[in-house]
């Protein structure tokens, strides 16, 4: 499994992904699931992937090849005029990879399935995030749905639902995400650090490196260990239910 | 779906179940998923069910019939000598119902599947809880695994993992469970109030009525509304992660 989250804040976008990949519990490894495409001053795009690793790697490879190829059909991510067209390109590439892996005539693509979050900003447009389904179609963040999750989403959702605020500072958003990720890794072996982080400030169009939170990062370790105590204190403050 | 939790505390057992049942989002109803069997002064047993409603209702009906029938084979729950034998009886009854619903020759029982939590105490034995699988086998709570969940378990698990303490008071355990249930209903439409509660104090062998928390219960509403604020305060107390 995998866990990736993208938040749309008022001042920018925040992406976080774990790095565990596994085929059964006795075959696991660490792999990057976050990828950036950038033309400094003009566009910054971040992609996160969940699902069949062969599918998502092939999709990223195809997107990379088409971006670097000197092709006058302009098929690459760096040539798309809008984020909507970027999402369409990602969706069609994803669908293409899945269908090429599926046995002819077979109707289900489950075994080769994958989901993708793609977000960023292109000059002239607003920063936005899309959740792309294996069928190639996609949905966009909105004020009502200001974040997307893919992969093992359930354990980490309640804290996002409760504590996310679109006007929170980047540091607070990262703290919130680390708690959400920590809740997930405490309950599911298929999600694990290191975590990759990409932060985009609106209208920056910057080529920032992906940051990495290692399992032994002291701040992450403190957040993880103190969160249990903080939750107990929070519970103490609530009224008691008597039967 | 469904959400049921059983906690084993040092001083007793606490059970909570939701009451929503649904077949698709346009066909839902409220139904009880908690059942008690008691011989005052001798045994108190609580059963909670998740899964196919026809299966679980048939299982409970069979258990009830066998309990009330004047049968010298003593097949009922009230005749079993130990909680282990109660769990075996529940398991075999569950497996019997599932296999009788399955089409002959079909290998999967998924469509008719169900899981059961059965807990309580019989004089001469310790209070304990079992999680019974649709195959009829089961596992028992232990110091390492002091609670069981069935149904839609993921959203409500992180708070249990962090805040559960085996020596907590009943009132605190109920508060913890209400937060866990509230986190679940905020994220999944197939889990909903009213919630049923059964509390068993060790060696009481009492026949207590099941309590019910309605959706508009003022304490539950306060817990639900204040939990978001409490979580934000808890987050504020954690160190900030800077990239």
């Amino acid at each position: 499994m995998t866990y990736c989250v993208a938040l749309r804040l008022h001042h920018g976008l925040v992406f976080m992904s774990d790095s565990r990949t596994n085929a059964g519990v006795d075959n696991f490894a660490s792999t990057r699931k976050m990828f950036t495409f950038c033309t400094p001053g003009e566009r910054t795009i971040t992609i996160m992937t969940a699902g069949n690793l062969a599918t998502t790697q092939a999709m990223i490879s195809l997107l990379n090849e088409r971006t670097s190829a000197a092709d006058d059909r302009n098929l690459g991510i760096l040539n798309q005029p809008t984020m909507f067209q970027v999402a369409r390109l990602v969706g069609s590439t994803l669908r293409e990879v899945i269908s090429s892996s599926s046995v002819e005539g077979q109707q289900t693509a489950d075994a080769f399935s994958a989901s993708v979050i793609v977000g960023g900003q292109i000059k002239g447009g607003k920063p936005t995030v899309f959740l792309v389904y294996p069928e190639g179609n996609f949905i966009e963040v909105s004020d009502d749905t200001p974040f997307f999750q893919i992969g093992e989403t359930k354990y980490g959702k309640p804290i996002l639902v409760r504590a996310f605020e679109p006007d929170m500072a980047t540091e607070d958003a990262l703290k919130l995400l680390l708690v959400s990720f920590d809740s997930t890794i405490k309950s599911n072996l298929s999600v694990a650090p290191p975590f990759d982080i990409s932060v985009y400030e609106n209208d920056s169009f910057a080529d920032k490196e992906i940051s990495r939170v290692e399992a032994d990062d002291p701040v992450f370790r403190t957040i993880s260990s103190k969160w249990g105590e903080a939750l107990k204190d929070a519970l103490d403050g609530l009224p008691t239910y008597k039967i």
Side-chain angles (χ1 to χ4, degrees), chain A:
Chain A
M1 200 54 111
T2 282
Y3 184 38
C4 302
V5 183
L7 309 177
R8 190 187 67 174
L9 302 167
H10 285 160
H11 59 83
L13 307 172
V14 179
F15 304 85
M16 194 178 290
S17 60
D18 87 315
S19 59
R20 175 154 289 175
T21 177
N22 73 305
V25 289
D26 56 355
N27 183 2
F28 67 96
S30 186
T31 190
R32 199 155 65 99
K33 302 166 189 176
M34 183 185 286
F35 308 88
T36 54
F37 296 81
C38 183
T39 304
E42 198 263 329
R43 72 180 63 203
T44 302
I45 294 161
T46 299
I47 292 180
M48 296 188 293
T49 61
N52 183 288
L53 186 61
T55 294
T56 58
Q57 286 191 346
M59 183 199 76
I60 294 295
S61 295
L62 277 174
L63 290 172
N64 272 324
E65 274 191 9
R66 287 168 181 172
T67 298
S68 49
D71 185 329
D72 49 8
R73 286 179 302 159
N74 286 341
L75 282 173
I77 277 188
L78 299 182
N79 300 113
Q80 302 302 318
T82 61
M83 283 301 298
F84 174 74
Q85 292 298 337
V86 168
R88 286 189 70 179
L89 173 64
V90 169
S92 62
T93 308
L94 177 61
R95 192 176 51 205
E96 174 190 334
V97 172
I98 293 175
S99 61
S100 72
S101 300
S102 301
V103 177
E104 203 179 352
Q106 193 173 326
Q107 290 305 302
T108 176
D110 265 9
F112 308 107
S113 192
S115 301
V116 175
I117 287 174
V118 52
Q121 187 178 17
I122 295 174
K123 207 153 197 171
K126 290 186 172 165
T128 190
V129 181
F130 295 92
L131 171 56
V132 184
Y133 296 106
E135 292 78 7
N137 57 349
F138 47 85
I139 55 174
E140 186 174 6
V141 285
S142 63
D143 291 341
D144 291 326
T145 309
F147 62 85
F148 285 139
Q149 304 168 287
I150 53 175
E152 182 57 70
T153 60
K154 295 187 178 183
Y155 300 108
K157 188 175 181 188
I159 183 69
L160 294 179
V161 169
R162 300 280 197 165
F164 174 82
E165 298 285 351
D167 58 352
M168 66 203 312
T170 301
E171 291 74 28
D172 291 330
L174 291 175
K175 180 158 68 173
L176 173 63
L177 286 177
L178 286 175
V179 169
S180 175
F181 274 68
D182 191 51
S183 297
T184 306
I185 64 175
K186 282 247 181 325
S187 291
N188 193 306
L189 289 176
S190 72
V191 179
F195 307 135
D196 288 318
I197 295 174
S198 173
V199 172
Y200 176 76
E201 294 293 329
N202 291 353
D203 305 322
S204 66
F205 307 107
D207 191 7
K208 275 168 69 172
E209 282 205 2
I210 290 173
S211 309
R212 180 155 269 204
V213 185
E214 298 290 345
D216 60 356
D217 180 276
V219 176
F220 172 56
R221 296 269 34 105
T222 309
I223 288 176
S224 175
S225 61
K226 285 206 169 170
W227 182 238
E229 290 306 311
L231 278 183
K232 286 175 195 170
D233 292 346
L235 272 174
D236 282 345
L238 295 181
T240 299
Y241 188 85
K242 287 203 172 67
I243 56 168

